[in-house]
Amino acid sequence: MNFVSDVSGTPLARTHHAFTSIVKRNFELQHEDSGRSTRHIELTLPEGIHYQEGDHLGVLPQNPSELTERVLSRFNLNGQDYVNLTGDSGSAAHLPTGKPVKLEELLSNHVEFQEPATRSQIRALVTHTVCPPHVKELEDLLLDNTYKQEILNKRITILDLLEKYLACEIPFERFLALLPPLKARYYSISSSPLHNEGEASITVSVVRGEALSGNGEYKGIASNYLAERSQGDKIACFINTPQSNFQLPKQTGKPIIMIGPGTGIAPFRGFIQSRRALKEKGETLGTAHLYFGCRNPEHDFLYQEELVQAEQEGLVTLHTAYSRCPGQEKHMSRTD
Ligand SMILES: Cc1cc2nc3c(=O)[nH]c(=O)nc-3n(C[C@H](O)[C@H](O)[C@H](O)COP(=O)(O)OP(=O)(O)OC[C@H]3O[C@@H](n4cnc5c(N)ncnc54)[C@H](O)[C@@H]3O)c2cc1C
């Protein structure tokens, strides 16, 4: 099986039995006036990988270079240098220990940098800070209300604090050990294997906006990583079948109601593709109602053309609700 270079050997990839898929298409679903971004990403799966409608795609993202550069710069390190980490399989289980690893690779693929600083991280910074006024300021952050208001609500990270408190001399390896492991992110698969076996698509709302910290722009790790992939790029991922039995009923004649605002439409697009394939095979389909909501149909009615087409083919009855149509009350309608 193929793997994305650099990610293949990570403990995260091994835990999830990750494989490599190739980006076939990646395009914007929102109208340019919407001010937001939702990407439709089609992936070619390697041979032998199967999924069913309603499954999730787990994605192993990589931290962007803006973020890893901040760490390298704060610790005055060179991303091209190699380090050899030692540690046990407990606290360091998510880190590549016992072999030389390039710093850039280590920072891109193994740890989260954007989680709010924990109390134990702040305590560690206190221990390694020599300047008494800064020690006091850091200690104050541990007080219940201050911690909530200044750290949790603003999502201030340990990296933000290190950049503010330059007198803190925490060693790099200690900093690294304090960071949580990089997490896989899940996306509902928005296609049906009956439509195109060997391919899967996802529908990704890109997390981007003014940072709650007041410090520039906040960019979600996985959604931006995915949004920036181009045709031919490799993505490390895995298929996850939810335990909730979120699937089309086995008896095709059973009626179904689907409710999916925004990117919640994703699995239902797969369901509708499946219904089309089943209908073409001569199966009798029960009725299907889809309730979809968005802000304004001119901006963010995802897959509008496809859904209207599916309704014309008798595959689904659409019900829509719009929350931000200028001059109109919030309303819901049936499109017929
Ligand atoms: C089962 C499942 C299915 C899912 N399906 C889909 C799907 O089909 N499509 C989809 O788009 N998503 C889906 N998600 C969500 C998806 O997994 C990710 O959580 C989402 O894409 C954000 O990940 P990220 O790495 O981009 O952001 P992260 O790096 O994880 O950042 C998100 C965090 O940043 C915080 N944050 C947001 N804005 C700001 C800001 N301005 N300043 C500071 N902090 C901020 C948020 O509160 C959140 O805690 C699904 C999740 C699950 C569990």
Side-chain angles (χ1 to χ4, degrees), residues 248-257 275 278-279 282-289:
L248 275 169
K250 296 264 180 296
Q251 300 102 316
T252 55
K254 269 204 175 167
I256 54 173
I257 295 176
R275 282 169 64 81
L278 291 168
K279 192 176 174 190
E283 298 274 355
T284 307
L285 302 180
T287 51
H289 289 268

Side-chain angles (χ1 to χ4, degrees), residues 39-226:
R39 307 294 301 186
H40 175 79
I41 302 174
E42 285 174 9
L43 302 167
T44 305
L45 304 173
E47 248 176 63
I49 296 293
H50 302 285
Y51 71 95
Q52 57 192 7
E53 304 82 7
D55 281 355
H56 302 140
L57 189 80
V59 171
L60 312 189
Q62 293 184 308
N63 287 312
S65 57
E66 301 103 88
L67 211 45
T68 57
E69 286 299 331
R70 279 174 61 193
V71 178
L72 293 168
S73 155
R74 173 60 178 82
F75 286 94
N76 205 13
L77 294 168
N78 181 343
Q80 299 307 309
D81 286 347
Y82 281 76
V83 286
N84 201 339
L85 300 175
T86 50
D88 57 44
S89 55
S91 60
H94 60 290
L95 295 172
T97 49
K99 59 173 184 187
V101 55
K102 212 192 248 189
L103 265 173
E104 196 179 60
E105 194 272 306
L106 176 66
L107 299 177
S108 302
N109 299 327
H110 298 272
V111 281
E112 294 274 349
F113 293 111
Q114 296 204 127
E115 292 294 317
T118 62
R119 282 194 160 90
S120 57
Q121 287 174 343
I122 299 172
R123 277 189 214 104
L125 297 187
V126 170
T127 314
H128 292 94
T129 301
V130 286
C131 165
H134 285 181
V135 169
K136 170 85 176 70
E137 282 184 38
L138 283 165
E139 280 175 343
D140 285 351
L141 291 175
L142 294 166
L143 302 170
D144 275 353
N145 271 346
T146 324
Y147 179 69
K148 187 163 178 289
Q149 279 167 22
E150 297 302 319
I151 301 291
L152 292 185
N153 291 356
K154 295 185 183 170
R155 289 185 60 90
I156 299 290
T157 67
I158 181 173
L159 182 56
D160 293 329
L161 293 173
L162 273 173
E163 287 173 335
K164 179 168 179 193
Y165 296 105
L166 293 173
C168 177
E169 291 174 356
I170 190 165
F172 174 67
E173 56 276 22
R174 178 83 182 103
F175 164 73
L176 199 62
L178 287 168
L179 297 172
L182 188 62
K183 293 186 304 285
R185 269 64 164 186
Y186 292 87
Y187 295 91
S188 298
I189 295 183
S190 55
S191 57
S192 163
L194 298 183
H195 176 68
N196 215 338
E197 208 188 352
E199 284 181 14
S201 69
I202 50 176
T203 309
V204 179
S205 168
V206 183
V207 177
R208 207 179 278 165
E210 201 182 316
L212 294 173
S213 63
N215 211 350
E217 190 183 36
Y218 181 88
K219 289 167 90 178
I221 298 298
S223 55
N224 284 277
Y225 165 76
L226 289 166

Side-chain angles (χ1 to χ4, degrees), residues 29-34 294-302 304 322 324-326 328:
L29 290 171
Q30 301 239 5
H31 190 273
E32 59 188 25
D33 297 340
S34 86
C294 64
R295 292 184 177 181
N296 180 333
E298 303 286 314
H299 293 165
D300 57 352
F301 193 146
L302 309 179
Q304 183 173 22
Y322 309 123
R324 298 195 196 173
C325 273
Q328 282 183 33

